[in-house]
Amino acid sequence: MNATIIFLLLLALMLTGMPISISLGLTVLSFLFLFTHVPLESVALKLFTGIEKFEIMAIPFFILAGNFLTHGGVAKRMIRFASSMVGHWYGGLGLSGVVACALFAAISGSSPATVVAIGSILLPAMVKAGFPNKFGAGVITTSGALGILIPPSIVMVMYSVATNTSVGALFMAGVVPGLGLALTLGAVTYYRARKYDYPRLPKASFAERFKTFRESAWGLLLIVIVMGGIYSGMFTPTEAAAMSAVYAFFVAVFVYKDLGIKDVPRVLLNSANMSAMLLYIITNAVLFSFIMTNENIPQALADWMLGHGLGMITFLLACNVILLLAGNFMEPSSIVLIFAPILFPVAVKLGIDPVHFGIMMVVNMEVGMCHPPVGLNLYVASGITKMGITELTVAVWPWLLAMLGYLVVVTYWPGLSLWFPRYLGMM
């Protein structure tokens, strides 16, 4: 009964058009005042202790690093490098977009940032080269979603905060599924380009490839710093985030010089705004998780499922349906922070690995970012391409169907996610 009241309250507040974070906070406070005897002091204490976690500091640092790199010309150098490597294949610029998105995802941690950085440069170039606008929009909108699967990932940090799962293990677990999804999206791009005979670039010489690699090397080195630092134990994921922010500032301002010292305050302010918004969502989600645990809702759900003989396969299918439906109305951060505390205890009881479950949730978030009505990547791509959301939705369908197929593979093949962190001895 209490679970029904909580979710009806949350749904009613969200339907008024209220932001998710405020809806969460008001739901918790309303329920506490009207239906429980929990002292307000414990709520205030939970607010502070809930976000008093070292891992949360990684979020503002990764946002800052991503903003420096987005404004610092790293993206256009990565596009030139990707084009020199795969541009001569069918749909060359489209494939370059997939490769560039995968590379930029490995340094930004954010899907919308990846779409903006790569799309704003590559989409006009694709139209100029003779590609249909829809093809370019489909490639970049879906490939940009790699930003939250290929580590580092802000959404993975949030899952870690919600479930106390190792951030380092999650990052390493995202590598193989991330590369697999990039190959899947690349295969769809290649197939459609070959089918409709889209333009190809002239094959680059070894000297051109080396030149573009040398120019993009400073940006690519950040991947080595973050991943190598975490794997070697040199620093934690949070310390890696701080290192990446300092390194991104150095590269953007002093190496590439695409960003002047006078532009730095603007980048800092934008990053602070984004961080504050996410931290406010986290704070309210922590309260929501507290009330769920206080009312024993996850435990009751787990007992009900086990009592009715619902096994791992059925549970994972139900999770995918719930998360994909949630993706129609909410953005990834909110979905992870609301649903992870509810579904995670059930997953653990059924013997599902916490890291595998986290990667499955992240792939669900990726699909959610590419379909209406609240797909963040759709709105970002719409701003770049000047296409309507309906037109964009039609454009992304071939890639979106491939992503749904890949989601099934990730869901029911745990080894895909768990092989690499186990090989590195992190699990």
Side-chain angles (χ1 to χ4, degrees):
M1 183 62 188
N2 284 350
T4 309
I5 292 167
I6 290 168
F7 281 104
L8 282 175
L9 267 172
L10 180 61
L11 188 63
L13 290 167
M14 282 168 57
L15 287 173
T16 64
M18 199 177 284
I20 299 286
S21 52
I22 297 173
S23 300
L24 281 170
L26 282 178
T27 300
V28 171
L29 290 174
S30 303
F31 186 81
L32 287 173
F33 274 123
L34 299 172
F35 299 100
T36 70
H37 300 289
V38 176
L40 277 180
E41 290 82 1
S42 65
V43 178
L45 185 66
K46 192 68 190 171
L47 266 174
F48 284 99
T49 56
I51 59 167
E52 200 177 37
K53 291 183 178 177
F54 186 59
E55 292 88 353
I56 289 179
M57 287 177 65
I59 294 170
F61 284 127
F62 278 133
I63 288 171
L64 182 58
N67 278 346
F68 273 128
L69 294 168
T70 305
H71 292 93
V74 174
K76 69 181 178 204
R77 289 172 176 84
M78 284 188 169
I79 290 168
R80 281 203 291 265
F81 171 58
S83 298
S84 72
M85 299 303 290
V86 297
H88 58 285
W89 294 355
Y90 281 100
L93 278 176
L95 285 173
S96 301
V98 177
V99 174
C101 281
L103 291 173
F104 197 81
I107 57 177
S108 75
S110 164
S111 286
T114 305
V115 175
V116 170
I118 305 299
S120 56
I121 300 164
L122 197 64
L123 285 172
M126 287 181 77
V127 172
K128 194 176 177 183
F131 286 88
N133 209 6
K134 282 185 177 179
F135 180 79
V139 171
I140 300 301
T141 304
T142 49
S143 300
L146 292 166
I148 59 170
L149 181 58
I150 295 177
S153 163
I154 293 168
V155 174
M156 285 184 194
V157 175
M158 291 192 167
Y159 175 82
S160 165
V161 168
T163 61
N164 288 319
T165 307
S166 162
V167 184
L170 281 166
F171 278 8
M172 296 304 161
V175 173
V176 176
L179 293 174
L181 183 55
L183 283 170
T184 304
L185 295 172
V188 175
T189 304
Y190 179 84
Y191 169 76
R192 289 183 68 79
R194 186 165 187 165
K195 183 180 178 183
Y196 297 108
D197 197 26
Y198 290 149
R200 299 157 71 173
L201 297 174
K203 188 170 183 177
S205 65
F206 177 78
E208 286 173 314
R209 289 177 176 179
F210 182 72
K211 181 174 177 283
T212 56
F213 170 74
R214 200 179 66 233
E215 287 173 351
S216 62
W218 284 98
L220 296 171
L221 191 59
L222 185 55
I223 304 170
V224 179
I225 291 171
V226 173
M227 302 296 286
I230 294 170
Y231 164 59
S232 65
M234 198 178 297
F235 35 69
T236 66
T238 306
E239 290 162 351
M243 279 289 295
S244 68
V246 174
Y247 180 83
F249 163 75
F250 175 76
V251 169
V253 176
F254 298 109
V255 178
Y256 292 147
K257 297 179 182 175
D258 294 310
L259 198 70
I261 290 287
K262 66 178 186 301
D263 300 315
V264 172
R266 177 170 51 86
V267 175
L268 291 171
L269 187 62
N270 288 343
S271 304
N273 284 337
M274 287 175 68
S275 302
M277 179 185 72
L278 287 175
L279 290 171
Y280 186 59
I281 295 172
I282 291 170
T283 306
N284 285 299
V286 162
L287 273 183
F288 190 76
S289 174
F290 163 69
I291 202 170
M292 285 289 185
T293 310
N294 194 57
E295 297 299 317
N296 281 325
I297 290 167
Q299 291 81 355
L301 179 64
D303 293 340
W304 181 86
M305 289 194 80
L306 292 169
H308 284 74
L310 295 177
M312 188 189 295
I313 292 171
T314 316
F315 171 72
L316 288 172
L317 178 64
C319 284
N320 280 327
V321 172
I322 291 166
L323 294 169
L324 289 171
L325 286 173
N328 285 311
F329 309 103
M330 290 185 272
E331 46 85 38
S333 308
S334 305
I335 297 172
V336 168
L337 292 167
I338 291 171
F339 287 99
I342 301 167
L343 300 172
F344 180 75
V346 187
V348 171
K349 264 197 172 182
L350 288 169
I352 298 165
D353 190 279
V355 173
H356 166 231
F357 191 67
I359 298 301
M360 186 204 82
M361 282 195 81
V362 172
V363 177
N364 267 290
M365 302 304 101
E366 287 192 297
V367 177
M369 295 188 91
C370 301
H371 69 70
V374 187
L376 274 179
N377 284 12
L378 284 179
Y379 283 94
V380 174
S382 174
I384 297 169
T385 59
K386 303 294 184 285
M387 290 167 69
I389 296 297
T390 309
E391 197 182 356
L392 260 176
T393 305
V394 174
V396 302
W397 262 115
W399 292 270
L400 197 56
L401 286 173
M403 289 173 83
L404 285 167
Y406 192 75
L407 172 61
V408 175
V409 175
V410 169
T411 301
Y412 293 109
W413 183 17
L416 186 68
S417 308
L418 302 178
W419 170 79
F420 194 49
R422 280 176 180 161
Y423 174 74
L424 296 175
M426 300 184 78
M427 290 178 67

